[in-house]
């Protein structure tokens, strides 16, 4: 048996969760090993998730703005420029971000191991290198941060050529004429709206009656309206019987009700599965849940006390933002360091076109918990900034207690929603009175003014 | 350059040919073969977002030999149809637009430009290697969860410079003189085929990622490629795997696994095992393309 190198902390996976866990360990003066099976560090977030999808979105938006500007300026875009330039920019941003992350890891003195981690026991890990050779590592504290990958449904043959998943869609070499998107969640909705904006005929199909069912209905209604304006359509309450490349020129989707859809390409975005298949967690005394996740307590501690699990591998909310915080907190807990207050109000940001974001309670949750709620609304079109930018949609909803004083939640759809939400988040954290939004001065003209308008709307209702 | 196996006169002849061809290639004083009409049209049709398959099928029907080839390929194990494919329409339907376009393009390039008298066997071997590379390229891309569309075309065209060199050598040698030995020709091919392939790709205005794969696919240069489609690195490994299919005396599996390109693609032993397992299917497909 090969002897193993010992560390204070071993982190498996270098995505946002693993990276923050490793850095927290190193900052606390611990000798840390970080194991990553890919050449680059950064995980799905950098290479297949957040960064590429947001870069693609940003570039698509810019490109469309640019095209619209041809009304004012006299220039023409090369017809063949589109997808090639989109993808090249994507590649550059992803590379730059990956390099930045790698630099951060080495700056913190963390030892990187390139290979696949497999538990040998609850303290010992075998790292299988690309050449098949093993390296043994051991530590009294371990963090599993192996993330997730797209789920492959049994009845859909994903071939990465005609039927793609959220990884392979990023290497499209041209824009298809039409795209069927299976799913109605975050990834499905984000890509559907990006491709629709780029002129692709997009059809979303899902079992839910509306996309992003967990979001406020007024927000998703605005999303659907904008999506339809770009030629997209949403087919809800549909069961997918099968989806197949016809071996000719199109993907045929057959619905439970017998209806069929045709499109040039298909994106399958029907959830993600945790990466645990190479880990051999049983050797560490862990049993995956029925859904193939690693189960943890509030401190991200598994049933084996000195093994923690963070990020997508433990299931929802499956956000890079939360994964990072879980990574940091898990190591703080393990090392008995103060990790600060537990984040109460985690915002949700969805980069559809238009963006959506929400924090705190929904209207229904507020009614359930407080026996009622007041709702203040502000439309972006009614705000100077919105008019200047020619915004055709956008809404901020404030959920407040029945007295019209206590802020309970904020829900926004429209340009900049994912940034604007943080004002509401701070308001919630500091329990501020609704009138503070009215009494204070915001920059003019800005979209932040929507907070004041929505607060005034509440104030009006309060007086009645 | 390795001239070890050549005699002094041959060596001198090679040197002379090499410098003449290099000058011709660098000064672009070449009369490059034209892209066959069918291939040009196929490229146009497949690059046109509004084109439909009827145009392509009409085009293929104009060329009986091409239609026959396509029918044969549609029946090959690689495309394993559930029932035998008997008509061109059916094979078009089975293979699909993209594959069909690539095939029509390849077959027409192969039969149209590179029929070199006296070297049929060698040219056939080059095509066998190119086809196996295209097929393996698709599988490598698939394993990487990368879109596979580009990989096939990069693979089948990556060594397009090789037959061009043979063509040029024959243009540059006296018709009366005895036929050059294959060893001599091969030496020149090794030296100049990448440069020649690049020139041809440019002249034919092949898609940019394909041009890049042609220029940079070798082990020493795939790092220089920048296209996000990764055609060069994928084609590099595909070319090694294809060699193992067409030439049993080439690198064995262990040697292939030890190549830096395997590491750069982040392939673990199990990924390589899965690719080696495809050897027979790819071999069968290649044969059905060629016979
Ligand atoms: C298309 C898309 C868009 C998204 N957009 C957003 C967004 O806008 N905002 C947001 O907050 N989140 C977003 N997410 C979610 C976010 O990317 C994930 O929540 C986040 O990446 C999870 O981080 P992680 O560290 O848990 O896992 P990952 O990022 O998946 O990283 C896990 C790492 O572990 C490695 N690994 C796995 N198994 C092993 C093993 N046995 N040995 C060694 N290494 C191993 C993997 O190679 C990987 O690098 C998006 C995701 C996708 C797919």
């Amino acid at each position: 048996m090969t002897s193993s190198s010992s560390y204070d902390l071993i982190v498996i996976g270098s995505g946002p969760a693993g990276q923050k866990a490793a850095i927290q360990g190193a900052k606390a003066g611990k000798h840390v090993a970080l194991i990553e099976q890919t050449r680059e560090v950064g995980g799905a977030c950098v290479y297949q998730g957040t960064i590429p999808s947001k870069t693609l979105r940003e570039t698509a938006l810019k490109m469309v703005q640019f095209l619209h500007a041809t009304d004012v300026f006299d220039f023409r875009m090369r017809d063949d420029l589109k997808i090639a330039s989109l993808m090249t920019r994507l590649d550059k941003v992803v590379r730059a971000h990956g390099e930045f992350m790698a630099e951060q890891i080495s700056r913190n003195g963390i030892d990187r191991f390139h290979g696949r981690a497999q538990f040998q026991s609850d303290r010992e890990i075998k790292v299988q290198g690309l050449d098949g050779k093993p390296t043994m590592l051991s530590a009294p504290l371990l963090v599993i941060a192996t993330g997730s990958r797209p789920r492959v449904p049994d009845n859909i043959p994903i071939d990465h050529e005609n039927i793609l998943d959220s990884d392979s869609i990023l290497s499209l070499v041209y824009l298809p004429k039409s795209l069927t998107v299976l799913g109605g969640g975050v990834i499905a909705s984000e890509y559907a709206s990006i491709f629709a904006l780029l002129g692709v005929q997009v059809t979303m199909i899902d079992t839910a009656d509306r996309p992003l069912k967990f979001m406020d209905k007024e927000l998703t209604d605005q999303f659907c309206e904008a999506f339809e304006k770009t030629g997209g359509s949403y087919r809800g309450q549909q069961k997918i019987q099968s989806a197949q490349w016809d071996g000719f020129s199109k993907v045929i989707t057959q619905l439970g009700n017998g209806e069929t859809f045709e499109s040039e390409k298909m994106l399958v975005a029907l959830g993600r599965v945790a990466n645990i298949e190479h880990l051999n967690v049983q050797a560490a005394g862990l049993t995956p849940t029925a859904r193939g996740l690693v189960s943890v307590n509030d401190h991200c501690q598994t049933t084996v006390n000195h093994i923690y699990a963070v990020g997508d591998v433990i299931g929802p909310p499956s956000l890079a933002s939360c994964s990072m915080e879980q990574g940091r907190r898990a190591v703080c807990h393990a090392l008995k360091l103060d990790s600060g207050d537990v984040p109460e109000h985690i915002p949700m940001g969805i980069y559809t076109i238009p963006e959506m974001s929400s924090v705190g309670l929904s209207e229904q949750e507020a009614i359930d918990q407080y026996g009622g709620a007041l709702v203040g609304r502000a439309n972006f079109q009614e705000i100077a900034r919105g008019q200047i930018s020619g915004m055709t949609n956008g809404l901020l909803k404030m959920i407040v207690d029945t007295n019209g004083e206590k802020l309970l939640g904020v829900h926004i759809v429209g340009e900049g929603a994912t940034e604007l939400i943080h004002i509401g988040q701070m308001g919630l954290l500091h329990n501020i009175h609704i009138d503070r939004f009215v009494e204070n001065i915001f920059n003019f003209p800005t979209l932040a003014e929507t907070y004041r308008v929505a607060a005034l709307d509440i104030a009006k209702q309060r007086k009645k | 350059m390795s001239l070890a196996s050549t005699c002094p006169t041959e060596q001198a002849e090679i040197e002379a040919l090499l410098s003449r061809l290099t000058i011709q290639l660098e000064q672009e004083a070449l009369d490059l073969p034209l892209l066959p009409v069918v291939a040009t049209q196929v490229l146009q049709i497949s690059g046109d977002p509004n084109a439909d398959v009827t145009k392509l099928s009409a085009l293929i029907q104009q060329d009986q030999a091409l239609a026959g080839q396509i029918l044969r390929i549609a029946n090959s194990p690689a495309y394993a149809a559930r029932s035998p494919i008997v008509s061109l329409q059916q094979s078009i339907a089975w293979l699909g637009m993209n594959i069909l376009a690539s095939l029509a393009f390849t077959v027409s390039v192969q039969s149209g430009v590179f029929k070199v008298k006296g070297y049929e066997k060698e040219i056939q071997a080059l095509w066998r290697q190119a086809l196996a590379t295209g097929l393996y390229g698709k599988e490598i891309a698939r394993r990487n969860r990368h879109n596979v569309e580009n990989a096939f075309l990069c693979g089948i065209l990556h060594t397009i410079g090789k037959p061009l060199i043979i063509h040029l050598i024959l243009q540059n040698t006296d018709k009366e003189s005895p036929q050059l030995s294959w060893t001599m020709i091969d030496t020149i091919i090794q030296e100049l085929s990448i440069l020649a392939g690049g020139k041809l790709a440019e002249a034919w205005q092949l898609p940019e990622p394909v041009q890049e794969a042609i220029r940079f696919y070798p082990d020493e240069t795939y790092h220089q490629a920048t296209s996000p489609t990764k055609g060069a690195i994928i084609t590099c490994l595909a070319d090694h795997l294809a060699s193992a299919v067409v030439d049993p005396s080439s690198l064995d599996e262990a040697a292939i696994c030890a190549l830096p390109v395997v590491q750069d693609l982040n392939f673990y032993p199990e990924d390589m095992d899965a690719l080696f397992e495809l050897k027979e299917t790819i071999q069968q497909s290649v044969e059905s393309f060629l016979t």
Side-chain angles (χ1 to χ4, degrees), chain A residues 12-19 35-38 40 42-46 48-50 53-54 115-118 145-148 166-167 186-187 190-191 272 275 278-279 310-313 317-323 349 351:
Chain A
I12 311 170
S14 72
Q19 205 217 6
I35 310 169
E36 171 54 56
Q37 65 181 358
T38 62
E40 305 86 3
C45 174
V46 178
Q48 293 96 20
T50 323
S53 63
K54 264 80 263 181
R116 261 184 196 143
Q118 194 184 59
T146 49
S148 65
S166 61
D167 289 358
V186 178
I187 294 172
E190 288 187 356
Y191 277 125
R272 297 180 66 84
N275 292 325
H278 296 293
L279 279 179
V310 289
D312 280 14
V313 77
S318 299
L319 286 172
S321 50
C322 297
S323 304
Y351 295 82

Side-chain angles (χ1 to χ4, degrees), chain A residues 142 414 429:
Chain A
L142 298 105
L429 272 175

Side-chain angles (χ1 to χ4, degrees), chain A residues 393-454:
Chain A
N393 53 34
L395 169 73
L396 179 140
K397 262 179 95 172
M398 256 182 188
I399 314 293
V400 180
D401 69 344
T402 43
N403 295 330
E405 290 170 359
K406 185 179 162 68
L407 180 65
L408 301 175
V410 179
H411 307 273
I412 313 175
V413 59
E415 185 68 38
T418 53
E419 297 282 357
L420 270 181
I421 200 74
H422 299 118
I423 299 178
Q425 184 188 16
M426 290 302 131
L428 280 169
L429 272 175
H430 296 284
N431 221 351
I432 66 168
H433 193 285
I434 287 301
D435 289 347
R436 303 293 290 162
F437 288 109
V438 183
E439 291 154 4
N440 275 290
I441 294 170
F442 288 95
N443 276 333
F444 180 82
T446 59
L447 288 174
E449 260 205 293
T450 47
Y451 277 96
R452 179 211 292 276
V453 174

Side-chain angles (χ1 to χ4, degrees), chain A residues 12-38:
Chain A
I12 311 170
S14 72
Q19 205 217 6
K20 290 289 178 243
I23 289 175
Q24 181 59 62
K27 291 230 185 285
K30 301 293 169 193
H31 188 204
V32 183
L34 177 64
I35 310 169
E36 171 54 56
Q37 65 181 358
T38 62

Side-chain angles (χ1 to χ4, degrees), chain B:
Chain B
M1 185 192 1
S2 154
L3 303 178
S5 58
T6 51
C7 67
T9 36
E10 272 195 341
Q11 229 179 68
E13 209 173 331
I14 291 173
E15 302 271 9
L17 259 172
L18 259 176
S19 62
R20 209 173 327 148
L21 290 181
T22 312
I23 291 168
Q24 284 182 3
L25 281 166
E26 272 165 5
Q27 293 181 343
E28 303 192 357
L30 274 180
D31 189 12
L32 289 174
L34 289 176
L35 189 60
V37 181
V38 174
T40 313
Q41 289 171 340
V42 166
L43 267 188
Q44 269 165 9
I45 293 176
S46 49
D48 173 3
N50 298 314
D52 62 33
V53 81
T54 37
K55 273 198 208 163
L56 191 62
S57 114
L59 187 68
I60 292 165
Q61 272 167 10
Q62 284 168 22
D63 184 334
Q64 278 310 302
L66 177 60
Q69 288 266 53
I70 285 180
L71 208 57
R72 209 167 20 246
I73 291 160
N75 275 307
S76 74
Y79 298 101
R82 273 171 236 108
S83 53
I85 287 187
V86 289
S87 74
L88 184 63
Q89 284 322 97
Q90 200 190 354
S91 68
I92 288 173
W94 182 248
L95 290 172
M97 178 89 166
N98 295 330
I99 297 253
L100 202 70
S102 310
L103 284 180
F105 179 76
T106 322
V107 171
S108 75
V109 168
Q110 174 194 1
S111 55
V113 191
F114 297 117
K115 282 227 157 106
V116 188
K117 250 184 126 192
Y119 298 97
E120 288 83 356
K121 208 174 96 244
E122 287 81 3
I123 292 271
Q124 175 94 329
L126 290 179
W127 278 110
R128 185 172 271 126
Q129 167 84 16
L131 286 167
T133 307
L135 293 168
Y136 251 132
K138 285 183 75 161
E139 298 310 322
I140 293 168
R142 223 189 297 278
R143 270 208 95 67
N144 253 336
R145 306 166 82 76
H146 207 77
N147 190 314
V148 306
E149 269 178 74
N150 189 54
F152 183 68
L153 208 53
C154 288
I156 54 175
L157 293 173
H158 76 297
T159 47
I160 196 96
K162 292 188 179 180
L164 174 60
I165 290 292
I166 306 177
H167 214 70
L168 295 178
I169 291 175
L170 296 188
Q171 266 182 12
N172 275 273
T173 45
D174 186 353
K175 301 232 164 15
E176 306 306 312
S177 58
Q179 194 173 318
L180 296 176
S181 75
W182 180 251
T183 325
M184 270 180 72
I185 291 180
D186 198 34
T187 313
I188 298 171
I189 284 179
Q190 299 310 328
E191 200 67 19
L192 289 178
S193 66
I194 304 277
L195 177 63
K199 297 281 174 198
L200 197 56
E202 208 179 304
W204 287 359
Q205 296 180 331
L206 294 179
E208 198 45 56
V210 180
Q211 289 201 29
E212 196 191 60
I214 293 172
R215 286 201 192 92
F216 295 121
Y217 82 88
D219 292 283
E220 306 73 35
T221 48
Y222 65 77
H223 292 104
Q224 292 171 36
T226 55
S227 166
T229 56
K230 297 189 183 164
I233 186 167
I234 289 173
T235 306
C236 176
L237 178 59
D239 182 68
H240 286 295
L241 289 164
S243 301
V245 168
V246 299
D247 174 12
S249 69
S250 66
L251 294 182
D252 64 13
E253 291 185 1
I256 293 178
C257 288
L259 290 167
V261 66
V262 174
Q263 308 247 332
D264 287 339
L265 279 163
N266 206 57
F267 277 166
Y268 283 83
E270 48 270 40
D271 296 310
M272 293 307 292
D273 287 347
L275 289 172
F276 290 132
E277 263 171 38
L278 294 168
K279 197 167 160 178
E280 216 164 286
T281 320
I282 285 179
Q283 204 155 24
Q284 283 171 1
S285 309
V286 169
E287 292 317 314
S288 57
F289 269 73
L290 291 171
T291 46

